[in-house]
Amino acid sequence: MTFDVRRFDIYRKVPKDLTQPTYTGAFKLTGFIATEIVNELYVDDPDKDSGGKIDVSLNISLPNLHCDLVGLDIQDEMGRHEVGHIDNSMKVPLNNGHGCRFEAEFSINKVPGNFHVSTHSATAQPQSPDMTHIIHKLAFGEKLQVQHVQGAFNALGGANRLQSNALASHDYILKIVPTVYEDLGGKQRFSYQYTVANKEYVAYSHTGRIIPAIWFRYDLSPITVKYTERRQPFYRFITTICAIIGGTFTVAGIIDSCIFTASEAWKKIQIGKMS
């Protein structure tokens, strides 16, 4: 004699429609697996191992100024005054040598100061220097390429001053904001966003000559922005799933009870008619 042990199963079976995979369930699971970005603000210098320096990347085109005349000058409130900075820089001739694209990688101190593109370091000053320009890139710190982090890391990228007065000086006043990104593994990357205001004017030297320049005057914000990548806690996922299953059983029970009650009432009505 054989027995079918399934007949003695004391546990209720989960309805088949609750065990079937669905797009809704997949979407909900993906929502918990995917990361989220949380941001916060605080007052501190996040990159204390930088030695008080900030890396700068500059890429600018001056289509009407010869490369021999283009130079980078750096100065700040710590007493730094460097004319004609050439380390990690490159000049690419444009317009058959009449213009120049200037690219440079350098560092600045974490104090107010400025760096400017000018003809100040040229051996002989031109009579009419043309400082019309396009800024392709001005960025500070490490490059951040994170999908959900949108910030002003290259706020001046694409700035076009080709229609400006050729002899005008340009002032870009920057407020640099330290920015930290921390990934799931706890690794931090340090970058900087910045806001910018600008003006242009014609400046004269003490001899009455016009010597234009492109100035980037900067100051640092004491506020740091931090982005932290994280996943939602797993217990929250389990709690949500349990709530969904429990709610489904409750609703199913209510519907089943209503149908059973209606069925019994209908049977009584039919029996009454027959008697």
Side-chain angles (χ1 to χ4, degrees), residues 166-179:
L167 296 176
S169 287
H170 300 263
D171 263 15
Y172 296 102
I173 297 91
L174 315 176
K175 177 67 74 171
I176 301 175
V177 182
T179 304

Side-chain angles (χ1 to χ4, degrees), residues 21-267:
T22 63
Y23 290 111
T24 304
F27 178 77
K28 186 171 290 294
L29 178 61
T30 303
F32 277 93
I33 293 176
T35 59
E36 61 178 353
I37 306 296
V38 180
N39 61 74
E40 59 181 310
L41 304 176
Y42 61 91
V43 179
D44 193 14
D45 178 9
D47 190 8
K48 296 181 176 62
D49 297 328
S50 65
K53 303 285 187 179
I54 298 176
D55 293 330
V56 184
S57 179
L58 175 65
N59 187 336
I60 184 172
S61 290
L62 299 95
N64 301 307
L65 193 64
H66 196 279
C67 280
D68 290 342
L69 302 173
V70 177
L72 176 68
D73 310 324
I74 308 171
Q75 56 189 121
D76 61 35
E77 292 187 359
M78 290 184 66
R80 181 182 184 182
H81 191 182
E82 186 175 349
V83 179
H85 179 90
I86 58 174
D87 294 338
N88 298 318
S89 62
M90 178 176 66
K91 298 178 182 180
V92 180
L94 300 175
N95 297 338
N96 296 320
H98 297 291
C100 186
R101 187 176 85 243
F102 179 73
E103 301 179 29
E105 304 280 344
F106 56 98
S107 64
I108 56 176
N109 295 315
K110 291 183 178 180
V111 295
N114 75 78
F115 51 91
H116 51 278
V117 177
S118 69
T119 62
H120 298 166
S121 60
T123 304
Q125 292 298 314
Q127 291 297 319
S128 300
D130 187 334
M131 302 304 291
T132 54
H133 61 276
I134 298 176
I135 300 174
H136 306 291
K137 178 183 179 182
L138 176 61
F140 301 87
E142 294 184 59
K143 184 178 182 179
L144 289 183
Q145 286 185 322
V146 182
Q147 182 178 2
H148 299 294
V149 175
Q150 304 295 329
F153 297 99
N154 185 24
L156 275 173
N160 188 323
R161 301 292 181 267
L162 295 182
Q163 303 303 318
S164 299
N165 182 347
L167 296 176
S169 287
H170 300 263
D171 263 15
Y172 296 102
I173 297 91
L174 315 176
K175 177 67 74 171
I176 301 175
V177 182
T179 304
V180 183
Y181 180 81
E182 183 176 315
D183 62 21
L184 286 173
K187 181 181 178 181
Q188 293 186 337
R189 283 181 283 171
F190 303 96
S191 188
Y192 296 84
Q193 302 181 61
Y194 62 93
T195 60
V196 58
N198 68 284
K199 63 179 180 178
E200 59 180 81
Y201 55 91
V202 177
Y204 295 87
S205 69
H206 62 280
T207 60
R209 292 186 59 190
I210 300 176
I211 306 180
I214 305 169
W215 299 80
F216 301 92
R217 307 181 193 273
Y218 62 87
D219 192 7
L220 272 75
S221 168
I223 302 297
T224 292
V225 179
K226 183 178 182 180
Y227 298 98
T228 305
E229 183 181 18
R230 70 182 187 186
R231 287 195 176 97
Q232 294 192 36
F234 187 68
Y235 71 82
R236 190 180 300 175
F237 173 66
I238 296 298
T239 302
T240 302
I241 295 300
C242 291
I244 292 173
I245 294 175
T248 302
F249 270 110
T250 300
V251 173
I254 293 173
I255 295 174
D256 181 68
S257 177
C258 292
I259 294 174
F260 178 78
T261 302
S263 176
E264 290 297 311
W266 177 254
K267 287 180 181 179

